[in-house]
């Protein structure tokens, strides 16, 4: 057993490295000056490497499944990693339909970032409470992840479209929005860097504070910029909190989560500003020249096609299988728990996307913005709802 | 109503038509140079042509896509608002909702409560919103589905030359032989197109059924919504809850006293006791309390078969028995019993003894046992003592103002007020007993009561349900899925071939996925002399 778990982590690590190599290979295809339709060795190498990485990650998934005795999609680490894996799969599928290398150059780093993000959560194998022991749970969670991943490819195509098409010669609302998206990517990188750095240095400090009148302890793994309000530092030789967390932030461990968020945002600012100073222009403006060869109509088509393919999968996994499982586990197919409601919101949102595109004719840029917002909703459901609006879902 | 006469073939088209229903001549002359709007193949749409009566106005309101999308957007935003604070069903059950929102979330919570957001998803306006979306879907489907159906059913393979020229994908070929054309048609057939021919004009079509996708999925949505409404029909839906103690038989609520359940044993296991749980040890050691691994009720279901008079003794006959496990309910007579919750170690009975207050050995004068679910109110003894149970609080707490009360009817924290009548006395001594408390009414009692023993047992919480709406809901969801897949994973592609004046005109249309259409046409022309169709949208843009 122990061995399997070690192997499983190694495979995940291997997959990570292979994706990294595949990203470099995809970058090389872009440099390739030949006609866009030729399918040369470097293309084959890039996509084969991606597929190899996918199989490595599949290996991680299977070994972990065997080791824990249940499908590894039951906590934040497992689910988010799986989502990253599905994103790679969705990219592979769309690559074989459209053969766009640029998609890989953007999708793989996002998958890497997602897997990196997931690794910051506790990686222990966790037991399941009885209501989670159901095949429908696995079926539901895996199809939701696949559906959301396909929808995320629409975001990838949308963001490439926007970076290529938006006029960067002057500052506008659009360029600002685009920079905000760039910044949020930096903030995620910041989160991974900060968390890794302090975890390597084994940082930890404990506070005592009151939760609804009960004294509790809270352990920090990042230096407390925001400590618990009226918290008492218990660990010696550690920095005391600079500021108290606002009192209206409730919920288990809210001060620590808030502190982590602030750290990520600050690290994001540092990275972003550093990058701007190096590039001396907006991030998107710096990327734009590399996208000249991309065909905007084709990107627009992919942006829509990914929604067309992903929407039914998402409906099936996120609503129908979810309902079947809920009926089985709690004897009601729908319970208005925040996670469920946000799945419904995602569904409404993409329904609006499809109607506006199909019947009112919103194409191109508008469609791309929609894809970006759709991805934001998916991420919101995955991260914010889990951490803040916690519901019945086990990885909450 | 004004009819439009086609200049080319003389056919009378109803007002609002943009492409002649007979010959395909475009009727929207003002847009001559633009691509043809192929929506609903140019048929007249009711909502676009009539707008006089009140019925028309309502019809047009609901069949507007902008209105439909707006309704969905409002539902989206409202749903999001409902997740900001927990819904009232997720707050603890022993608190007053209004106070809970105020105390926990302050002013924002108070406003949230006052506006009714704490029960948003069952509020009348949310339900109306969903109903409006349902009506909109219904009307829009009739409004557009019927014309589309008619248009696609009666397609004329021979279309006017202007119809072809104004398609997105179009080309004309000046020199071709019959052989070339035959080869092309063979290639088209190979790609599983259906060929319709009239006077040498050809229409090749595939995937028409995908056009019904949206209508099928909307029909599914409507069936689903009807299913959710059926819940309000009385016999369709039962959702009740019952606590059954170990060893007890209880009436199953919601079954008109027809069924009974006996809890033979309740089994509860936690993680960490088995060797196979070793892999979780890290997580388990971090938890403060045990994580439940498995719980089940060994149950027997009985049916009351006594014919008859209300109030007569029930005659029980076993109809089912077995374990009720989470995710594995027991079924009987259209009902299902689900394992829901449990109460471990509920008090079953408590035994007391009476002794003299000053007696250091506490020698017992009398002893008795109180059945906590069904206590006797008087206990008499041969030596003349009599004890009355004056007050009984099964689940005792002290109110804010200091009055004792019982939170629930379940003996989770029992407390008692006993009156002790020594032989021959008519004035009793009062004693108050609760867990960890033994208070003397006056402080001068001669006799004192003490707890000697107690029994506990587990209580199983079972959920009783019957939901005849499920088949309807499931059917709706199933039809919806068929519809979206049909509409999303297939496309309706058509190719028109129009010979005229020794030339060949070819145009093509797809309702979506132009990339796929272009690729397919490239495959169709391989090994033929025909060149690729031009994307006229691109051409005009590039100019
Ligand atoms: C949440 C509710 C709804 C969902 C999930 C939904 C879903 C869909 C889907 C998946 C399509 C097919 C798109 C395609 O084939 O590419 C579609 C088409 C359509 N929907 Fe809806 N819809 C909803 C509500 C509405 C409403 C309220 C209206 C009306 C105002 C409406 C009007 C239409 C129309 C006109 C079409 C196009 C039909 C055609 O092309 O022939 N839908 N809908």
């Amino acid at each position: 057993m122990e061995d399997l778990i070690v192997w499983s982590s190694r495979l995940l690590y291997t997959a990570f490295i292979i994706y990294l190599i595949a990203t470099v290979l995809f970058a090389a295809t872009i440099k390739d000056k030949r006609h866009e339709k030729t399918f040369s060795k470097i293309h084959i190498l890039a996509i084969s490497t991606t597929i190899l990485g996918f199989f490595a990650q599949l290996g991680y998934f299977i070994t972990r499944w065997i080791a824990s005795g249940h499908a590894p999609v039951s906590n934040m680490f497992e689910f988010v990693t799986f989502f990253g894996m599905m994103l790679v799969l969705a990219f592979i599928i769309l690559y074989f339909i459209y053969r766009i290398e640029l998609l890989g150059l953007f999708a793989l780093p996002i998958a890497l970032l997602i897997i990196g993000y997931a690794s910051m959560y506790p990686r222990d194998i966790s037991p399941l409470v009885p209501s989670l022991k159901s095949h429908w749970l696995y079926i539901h969670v895996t199809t939701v992840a696949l559906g959301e991943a396909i929808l995320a490819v629409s975001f990838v195509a949308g963001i490439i479209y926007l970076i290529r098409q938006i006029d960067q010669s002057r500052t506008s609302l659009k360029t600002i929005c685009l920079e905000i998206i760039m910044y949020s990517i930096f903030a995620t990188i910041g989160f991974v860097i900060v968390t890794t750095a302090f975890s390597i240095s084994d940082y930890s400090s404990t506070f005592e504070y009151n939760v609804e009148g009960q004294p509790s302890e809270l352990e920090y793994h990042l230096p407390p910029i925001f400590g618990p309000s009226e918290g008492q530092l218990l660990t010696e030789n550690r920095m005391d909190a600079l500021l108290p967390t606002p009192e209206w932030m409730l919920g288990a461990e809210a001060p620590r989560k808030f502190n982590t968020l602030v750290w990520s945002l600050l690290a994001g600012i540092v990275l972003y500003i550093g990058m701007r100073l190096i590039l001396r222009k907006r991030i998107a403006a710096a990327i734009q020249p590399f996208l000249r060869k991309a065909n905007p109509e084709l990107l627009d088509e992919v942006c829509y096609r990914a929604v067309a393919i992903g929407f039914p999968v998402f409906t099936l996994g996120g609503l129908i299988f979810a309902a079947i499982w809920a009926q089985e586990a709690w004897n009601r197919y729908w319970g208005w728990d925040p996670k469920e409601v946000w799945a419904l919101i995602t569904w409404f949102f993409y329904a609006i996307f499809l109607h506006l595109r199909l019947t009112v004719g919103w194409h191109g840029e508008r469609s791309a913005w929609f894809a970006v917002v759709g991805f934001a909703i998916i991420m919101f459901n995955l991260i914010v709802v889990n951490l803040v609006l916690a519901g019945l879902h086990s990885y909450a | 109503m004004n009819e439009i006469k086609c200049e080319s073939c003389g056919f009378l088209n109803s007002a609002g038509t943009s492409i002649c229903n007979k010959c395909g001549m475009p009727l929207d002359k003002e847009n001559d140079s633009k691509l043809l709007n192929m929506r609903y193949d140019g048929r007249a749409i009711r909502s676009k042509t009539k707008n006089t009566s009140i019925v028309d106005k309502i019809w047009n309101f609901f069949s507007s896509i902008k209105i439909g999308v707006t309704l969905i957007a409002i539902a989206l935003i409202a749903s999001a608002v409902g997740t900001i604070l927990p819904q009232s069903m997720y707050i603890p059950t022993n608190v007053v909702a209004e106070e809970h929102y105020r105390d926990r979330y302050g002013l924002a919570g108070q406003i949230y409560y006052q506006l009714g957001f704490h029960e948003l998803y069952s509020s009348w306006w949310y339900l109306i919103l969903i109903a409006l979306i349902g009506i909109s879907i219904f009307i829009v489907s009739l409004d557009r589905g019927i014309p589309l159906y008619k248009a696609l059913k009666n397609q004329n393979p021979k279309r006017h030359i202007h119809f072809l020229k104004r398609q997105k994908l179009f080309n004309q070929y000046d020199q071709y032989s019959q052989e070339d054309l035959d080869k092309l048609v063979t290639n088209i057939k190979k790609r599983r197109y259906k060929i319709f021919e009239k006077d040498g004009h050809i229409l090749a079509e595939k995937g028409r059924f995908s056009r019904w996708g949206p209508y099928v999925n909307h029909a599914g949505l409507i069936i689903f919504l009807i299913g959710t409404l059926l819940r309000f029909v009385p016999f369709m839906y039962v959702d009740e809850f019952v606590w059954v103690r170990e060893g007890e038989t209880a009436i199953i609520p919601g079954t008109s006293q027809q069924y009974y359940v006996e809890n033979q044993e309740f089994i509860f296991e936690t993680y960490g006791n088995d060797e196979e749980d070793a892999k979780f040890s890290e997580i388990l050691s971090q938890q403060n309390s045990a994580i439940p691994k498995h719980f089940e009720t060994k149950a027997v279901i009985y049916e009351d078969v006594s014919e008859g008079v209300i109030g007569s003794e029930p005659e029980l006959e076993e109809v089912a028995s077995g374990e009720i496990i989470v995710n594995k309910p027991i079924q009987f007579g259209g009902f299902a019993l689900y394992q829901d919750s449990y109460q471990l170690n509920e008090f079953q009975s408590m035994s007391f003894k009476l002794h003299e207050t000053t007696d250091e050995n506490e020698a017992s004068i009398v002893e008795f046992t109180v059945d906590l679910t069904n206590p006797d109110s008087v206990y008499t003894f041969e030596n003349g003592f009599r004890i009355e149970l004056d007050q009984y609080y099964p689940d005792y707490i002290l109110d804010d103002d200091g009055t004792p009360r019982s939170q629930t009817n379940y003996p989770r924290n029992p407390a008692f007020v006993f009156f002790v009548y020594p032989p021959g006395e008519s004035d009793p001594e009062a004693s108050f007993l609760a867990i960890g408390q033994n208070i003397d009414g006056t402080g001068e009692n001669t006799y004192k009561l003490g707890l000697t023993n107690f029994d506990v047992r587990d209580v199983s919480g079972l959920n009783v349900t019957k939901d005849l709406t499920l088949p309807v809901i499931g059917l709706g969801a199933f039809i919806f899925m068929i519809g979206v897949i049909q509409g999303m994973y297939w496309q309706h592609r058509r190719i028109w071939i129009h010979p005229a004046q020794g030339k060949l005109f070819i145009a093509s249309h797809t309702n979506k996925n132009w990339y796929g259409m272009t690729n397919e046409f490239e495959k169709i022309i391989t090994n033929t002399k025909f060149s690729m169709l031009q994307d006229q949208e691109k051409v005009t843009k590039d100019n």
Side-chain angles (χ1 to χ4, degrees):
Chain A
M1 272 312 151
E2 284 297 309
D3 264 5
L4 264 183
I5 295 172
V6 172
W7 268 107
S8 159
S9 329
R10 275 188 204 149
L11 279 169
L12 182 62
Y13 192 68
T14 312
F16 192 88
I17 302 290
I18 297 178
Y19 291 152
L20 214 58
I21 297 170
T23 310
V24 176
L25 290 172
F26 275 116
T29 64
I30 308 299
K31 289 271 180 211
D32 197 349
K33 287 278 180 315
R34 274 165 292 177
H35 189 258
E36 57 174 274
K37 286 224 163 157
T38 52
F39 195 62
S40 65
K41 282 198 183 114
I42 185 89
H43 295 91
I44 297 175
L45 193 62
I47 189 68
S48 329
T49 313
T50 313
I51 295 173
L52 187 69
F54 176 77
F55 278 114
Q57 200 177 353
L58 199 62
Y60 140 82
F61 186 76
I62 294 169
T63 43
R64 192 172 168 99
W65 187 329
I66 298 170
S68 68
H70 58 80
V73 284
S74 65
N75 60 28
M76 205 54 182
F77 162 71
E78 292 174 342
F79 181 73
V80 178
T81 332
F82 184 72
F83 177 65
M85 175 163 123
M86 289 296 106
L87 183 57
V88 175
L89 178 64
F91 157 69
I92 294 172
I93 294 172
L94 278 134
Y95 181 81
F96 278 106
I97 303 180
Y98 290 104
R99 295 271 158 86
I100 306 177
E101 282 74 33
L102 258 185
L103 217 54
L105 187 56
F106 280 74
L108 288 177
I110 292 178
L112 282 169
L113 204 56
I114 288 173
I115 297 171
Y117 174 80
S119 316
M120 300 302 119
Y121 285 91
R123 275 181 268 176
D124 306 308
I125 291 182
S126 44
L128 292 182
V129 297
S131 67
L132 298 181
K133 288 179 191 159
S134 157
H135 291 298
W136 282 110
L137 168 68
Y138 308 146
I139 296 170
H140 152 61
V141 178
T142 48
T143 25
V144 174
L146 179 62
E148 290 185 339
I150 300 173
L151 294 172
V153 173
S154 149
F155 158 75
V156 175
I159 194 89
I160 302 175
Y161 183 95
L162 291 173
I163 296 177
R164 186 185 188 285
Q165 294 299 91
I166 282 175
D167 178 11
Q168 291 285 357
S169 61
R170 58 187 186 82
T171 308
S172 63
L173 184 61
K174 291 174 185 169
T175 60
I176 293 173
C177 290
L178 212 48
E179 287 312 288
I180 292 176
I181 301 170
M182 296 296 130
Y183 165 69
S184 54
I185 293 174
F186 280 108
T188 317
I189 300 174
F191 168 78
V192 174
I193 293 177
V194 169
T195 315
T196 313
F198 283 104
S199 120
I200 289 172
S201 69
D202 233 348
Y203 185 93
S204 119
S205 63
T206 308
F207 284 87
E208 191 178 79
Y209 75 126
N210 276 325
V211 191
E212 290 175 40
Q214 302 282 333
S216 329
E217 285 187 7
L218 190 59
E219 198 177 333
Y220 274 60
H221 299 286
L222 296 179
I225 300 175
F226 283 90
S229 89
E230 293 173 29
Q232 193 66 42
L233 181 66
L234 298 180
T235 321
E236 280 173 29
N237 298 330
R238 287 292 188 206
M239 166 188 135
D240 201 356
L242 299 178
L243 297 163
T245 304
E247 297 222 13
W248 49 265
M249 293 202 174
L250 298 156
E253 303 165 5
R256 184 177 64 205
K257 287 171 186 166
F258 181 63
N259 187 52
T260 309
L261 179 70
V262 171
W263 264 102
S264 314
L265 294 180
L266 288 178
I269 290 177
V270 172
L271 289 175
Y272 179 82
I273 292 179
M275 207 60 178
R276 289 282 303 247
L277 289 175
I278 295 171
L279 297 172
R280 304 206 157 273
K281 53 175 110 157
R282 284 189 285 273
I283 310 289
I287 304 176
Q288 196 173 44
F290 297 100
L291 307 181
R292 286 271 171 265
K293 266 198 339 190
N295 171 357
E297 269 110 62
L298 194 53
L299 284 172
D300 180 50
E301 167 98 16
V302 174
C303 175
Y304 161 67
R305 222 31 217 306
V307 177
I309 299 173
F311 185 75
V313 180
F314 177 77
T315 311
L316 195 64
L319 300 173
I320 298 182
F321 289 160
I324 295 177
W325 172 47
Q327 181 67 34
E328 197 184 77
W330 295 291
N331 193 18
R332 48 150 187 71
Y333 54 86
W334 190 258
W336 297 109
D337 132 71
K339 193 96 189 164
E340 284 174 345
V341 176
W342 277 93
L344 181 68
I345 290 172
T346 313
W347 187 70
F348 277 154
F349 184 83
Y350 282 102
I352 294 176
F353 178 113
L354 286 172
H355 285 97
L356 288 179
R357 173 140 188 147
L358 244 101
T359 52
V360 189
W362 282 24
H363 290 241
E365 209 178 298
R366 285 178 175 169
S367 206
W369 283 118
F370 255 84
V372 168
V373 176
F375 183 69
I377 295 180
I378 290 176
M379 284 297 130
F380 184 86
N381 198 3
L382 191 58
I383 297 164
V384 183
V385 174
N386 277 338
L387 299 183
V388 183
L389 308 173
L392 295 168
H393 286 70
S394 66
Y395 31 85
Chain B
M1 232 197 9
N2 290 342
E3 292 189 320
I4 312 171
K5 186 171 175 177
C6 174
E7 286 173 13
S8 172
C9 68
F11 185 76
L12 283 180
N13 292 288
S14 50
T17 309
S18 61
I19 300 173
C20 174
N21 288 344
K22 182 148 183 261
C23 70
M25 168 83 173
L27 301 175
D28 58 336
K29 278 190 233 79
E30 64 281 15
N31 295 327
D32 232 2
S33 56
K34 282 203 209 144
L35 290 184
L36 203 51
N37 181 351
M38 286 292 285
R39 211 165 283 163
Y40 314 108
D41 271 29
R43 280 269 171 166
I45 303 292
R46 189 187 195 280
S47 63
K48 295 272 157 63
T49 48
K50 293 185 189 164
N51 194 15
T52 41
S53 71
I54 179 86
V55 176
D56 294 340
K57 294 227 153 79
I58 294 175
W59 182 276
N60 294 352
F61 177 82
F62 283 114
S63 50
S64 151
I65 306 286
K66 292 210 173 89
I67 298 285
V69 166
T70 311
L71 289 173
I72 302 177
I74 297 173
L76 185 159
I77 293 165
S79 307
V81 169
T83 62
I84 296 176
L85 296 183
Q87 291 290 298
S88 65
M89 62 192 139
Y90 290 116
I91 67 172
T93 45
N94 57 356
V95 297
V96 181
E98 189 172 357
E99 292 168 9
H100 179 80
Y101 283 96
R102 187 192 59 212
D103 297 347
R104 223 175 141 183
Y105 307 104
L107 184 64
Q110 227 168 336
I111 294 171
Y112 202 78
Y113 179 84
Q114 290 301 335
L115 292 178
F117 288 145
H118 66 301
E119 279 171 356
L120 182 114
Y121 307 114
S122 50
S123 66
W124 58 269
W125 61 271
Y126 192 82
L127 297 182
I128 287 182
L129 195 57
I130 301 296
L132 287 178
I133 293 177
I135 296 170
S136 177
I137 293 172
F138 183 70
I139 292 183
V140 83
S141 300
L142 294 180
D143 189 56
R144 328 229 159 183
I146 295 171
L148 183 68
Y149 180 75
K150 284 186 185 158
L152 295 185
K153 191 151 198 277
N154 309 311
Q155 288 184 79
N156 189 347
K158 182 175 171 183
R159 293 282 171 123
H160 198 277
I161 186 81
H162 288 308
F163 175 89
L164 275 81
K165 282 186 174 167
R166 285 179 59 194
Q167 294 298 325
K168 181 172 148 87
L169 292 182
F170 171 78
N171 210 344
Q172 69 184 57
Y173 305 90
D174 292 346
Q175 289 189 332
Y176 73 100
S177 64
Q178 187 58 38
E179 209 178 310
D180 295 334
L181 181 57
D182 289 346
K183 176 89 182 132
L184 187 75
V185 174
T186 318
N187 283 355
I188 294 177
K189 273 189 191 151
K190 260 191 216 147
R191 304 205 62 85
R192 282 179 279 123
Y193 278 78
K194 267 196 193 167
I195 307 284
F196 302 88
E197 202 169 350
K198 187 176 172 189
D199 308 338
H201 294 251
I202 293 170
L203 161 64
E205 185 184 27
K206 87 174 184 188
R208 187 198 289 177
F209 78 101
S210 80
R211 292 296 285 272
W212 316 131
Y215 304 95
V216 172
N217 89 44
H218 288 170
L221 284 175
I222 292 168
I223 295 174
F224 179 89
L225 289 175
I226 290 175
T228 60
L229 288 180
L230 284 181
R231 180 173 280 203
F232 298 104
V233 177
F235 64 88
M236 299 289 278
Y237 183 75
V238 171
D239 181 16
E240 299 279 352
F241 183 86
V242 60
W243 286 110
V244 197
R245 303 184 168 91
E246 274 177 316
E248 259 187 9
T249 302
I251 296 178
I252 303 179
T255 64
S256 320
Q257 318 219 337
Q258 194 188 353
Y259 291 101
Y260 290 70
V261 58
E262 178 186 354
N263 175 354
Q264 294 187 315
E265 192 185 358
F266 182 77
I267 298 170
F268 181 77
E269 292 164 16
T270 55
Y271 277 102
N273 298 331
D274 269 343
E275 253 173 58
E276 59 165 44
D277 296 341
K279 61 194 174 208
F280 304 130
S281 56
E282 200 133 330
I283 288 271
L284 292 174
S285 65
Q286 291 164 14
Q287 302 286 329
N288 297 329
S289 53
I291 301 177
K293 180 179 184 181
H294 177 87
F295 49 94
E296 67 173 55
T297 308
K298 290 205 183 306
V300 184
I301 308 290
Y302 302 98
E303 184 172 2
D304 179 4
V305 291
S306 65
E307 312 252 329
V309 214
I310 297 173
S312 66
E313 274 293 298
E315 243 175 82
L316 297 186
E317 198 168 89
E318 181 175 327
V319 288
S321 72
E323 296 86 39
I324 308 179
I325 310 176
V326 182
N327 292 347
K328 289 193 193 97
I330 202 168
Q331 319 254 0
F332 58 95
F335 292 92
L337 263 185
Y338 282 80
Q339 182 69 57
D340 183 275
S341 38
Y342 51 83
Q343 178 79 46
L344 297 180
N345 302 329
E346 182 185 279
F347 291 104
Q348 177 175 9
S349 64
M350 284 187 164
S351 304
F352 301 93
K353 71 173 179 186
L354 188 72
H355 61 88
E356 283 179 24
T357 315
T358 51
D359 179 0
E360 273 176 23
N361 297 328
E362 303 189 350
S364 135
I365 301 169
V366 297
E367 290 187 14
F368 63 100
T369 298
V370 180
D371 177 351
L372 294 177
T373 40
N374 193 11
D376 292 332
S377 55
V378 182
Y379 303 83
T380 47
F381 304 94
E382 284 170 0
N383 57 8
F385 277 88
R386 194 162 66 95
I387 296 178
E388 269 183 33
L389 178 56
D390 178 62
Q391 295 289 338
Y392 169 47
Y393 309 99
D395 193 3
Y396 164 77
I397 52 160
L398 263 191
D399 255 348
D400 291 343
D401 54 5
T403 43
R405 91 186 154 80
S406 190
Q407 285 191 87
T408 65
N409 289 327
Y410 308 111
R412 292 173 184 160
N413 181 25
F416 315 84
V417 175
F418 288 110
F419 284 170
V420 177
Y421 292 87
E425 290 280 343
S426 59
D427 275 345
E429 289 183 2
S431 298
F432 174 83
L433 276 95
I435 294 169
Q437 292 184 50
N438 193 341
I439 299 166
D440 182 337
T442 54
E444 301 173 351
N445 283 357
T446 339
Y447 298 100
K448 188 170 176 182
L449 280 161
L451 181 68
T452 54
N453 207 352
F454 60 86
D455 281 325
V456 290
R457 59 184 162 180
D458 298 336
V459 192
S460 174
L462 301 173
N463 211 205
V464 190
T465 62
K466 167 166 131 176
D467 195 346
L468 297 181
T469 70
L470 284 181
V472 183
I473 301 236
L475 181 72
F478 183 73
I479 292 178
F480 176 81
M481 273 323 294
I482 301 275
V484 251
I485 289 174
Q486 177 181 348
M488 295 294 191
Y489 294 171
W490 277 270
Q491 294 93 34
H492 180 214
R493 295 176 176 171
R494 282 178 288 176
I495 301 169
W496 292 274
I497 302 178
H498 184 117
Q501 304 132 18
K503 294 181 189 169
L504 199 62
F505 299 85
I506 302 184
S508 157
H509 181 263
T510 178
N511 64 333
K512 56 181 81 142
N513 189 5
W514 289 92
Y515 177 81
M517 182 74 238
T518 334
N519 276 356
E520 183 160 75
F521 201 80
E522 261 170 12
K523 289 191 185 120
I524 287 172
I525 56 171
T526 45
N527 304 326
T528 71
K529 295 205 180 99
F530 293 95
S531 57
M532 193 52 203
L533 296 177
Q534 298 295 317
D535 186 339
Q536 307 205 70
E537 204 164 36
K538 242 191 214 153
V539 175
T540 41
K541 229 185 244 163
D542 292 348
N543 286 343

